[in-house]
Amino acid sequence: MATQGWRGTLVLFHGNAGSARDRTWYLNALEPLGLRVILAEYPGYGGREGTPSQASLVADGRETVRMARAAFGEPLWVWGESLGAAVAAQVAVAPEGPARGLVLITPWDNLPDLAQALYWYLPARWLVRDRYDTRAALQTFQGPKVVLIAGQDQIVPPAHSQSLYAALPEPKRLWLFPEAGHNDWSAYAVAWWGETVAWLEAQASQAANTSTIK
């Protein structure tokens, strides 16, 4: 089953603050580009029942993607911001069906390293319960990967996003907004939305052509 009337379906995983209801601006940015946008909500967030943890968020995210694919078909992309980038990475590599492509906005490499950098005066690495190891999760993901880095990010210092990007296998593309912060990056990304979607589609077309030639 193909997605009809849309370029594709996008499942968006939001950051730690707020809920999916606070991210309607994604709809305003992406639906005019022809993308059906699903704003995923986590267990324990936005009035949903459940206890947040890496296991519960990832399991629920994979079920959301499974349902979206069953309802709307391909192509299906997974996007995530901050915490949502860590969830999106785990969801995109689901064994029951990987995402067509992945977009990571202000992502970290892994949570213990990030926690230790932010709270250097504590044994923070050993205090976090979940690892959210995005770098390790994506080592075998062959789909196209986009990373957006905010140069003035004080929540996820750019070095951690750079470390992740350097470790990702091709194909990948980096967008850096030097003046952007963790919470205002979207104000700098007017052209980025369209460029990102076009790049993801070009990578999918190239992969399909390569497969046909083989």
Side-chain angles (χ1 to χ4, degrees), residues 2-203:
T3 299
Q4 296 181 354
W6 298 89
R7 293 166 76 173
T9 299
L10 184 159
V11 180
L12 186 283
F13 295 94
H14 66 80
N16 185 55
S19 69
R21 288 175 292 187
D22 304 319
R23 267 63 176 194
T24 56
W25 50 270
Y26 276 102
L27 305 179
N28 298 333
L30 292 165
E31 285 188 343
L33 299 178
L35 292 176
R36 176 190 289 108
V37 180
I38 297 173
L39 300 177
E41 188 56 283
Y42 306 127
Y45 284 70
R48 281 196 65 189
E49 296 182 355
T51 301
S53 68
Q54 178 175 340
S56 67
L57 268 61
V58 170
D60 191 79
R62 289 182 173 182
E63 177 62 12
T64 298
V65 167
R66 186 198 68 77
M67 293 174 64
R69 181 177 278 123
F72 305 119
E74 295 286 354
L76 186 145
W77 295 285
V78 174
W79 291 38
E81 58 164 277
S82 193
L83 167 66
V87 175
Q90 303 284 339
V91 169
V93 298
E96 57 269 24
R100 182 70 60 89
L102 177 64
V103 175
L104 304 174
I105 301 167
T106 63
W108 61 65
D109 40 10
N110 66 77
L111 189 56
D113 284 354
L114 174 64
Q116 193 60 61
L118 294 175
Y119 303 101
W120 52 268
Y121 47 88
L122 295 172
R125 184 186 309 279
W126 313 109
L127 297 177
V128 294
R129 291 180 298 175
D130 294 318
R131 295 192 58 82
Y132 283 114
D133 194 337
T134 302
R135 180 170 54 202
L138 295 177
Q139 288 308 298
T140 60
F141 181 65
Q142 299 303 308
K145 296 159 285 289
V146 170
V147 174
L148 182 151
I149 299 178
Q152 303 302 314
D153 196 331
Q154 295 184 334
I155 304 300
V156 181
H160 290 269
S161 299
Q162 293 277 10
S163 172
L164 169 64
Y165 181 77
L168 293 178
E170 297 285 352
K172 59 184 178 180
R173 186 167 178 183
L174 174 67
W175 269 271
L176 170 64
F177 295 101
E179 303 303 319
H182 191 78
N183 295 317
D184 68 353
W185 61 266
S186 61
Y188 298 82
V190 175
W192 175 79
W193 304 101
E195 292 173 0
T196 296
V197 174
W199 185 80
L200 289 170
E201 289 183 327
Q203 291 299 311

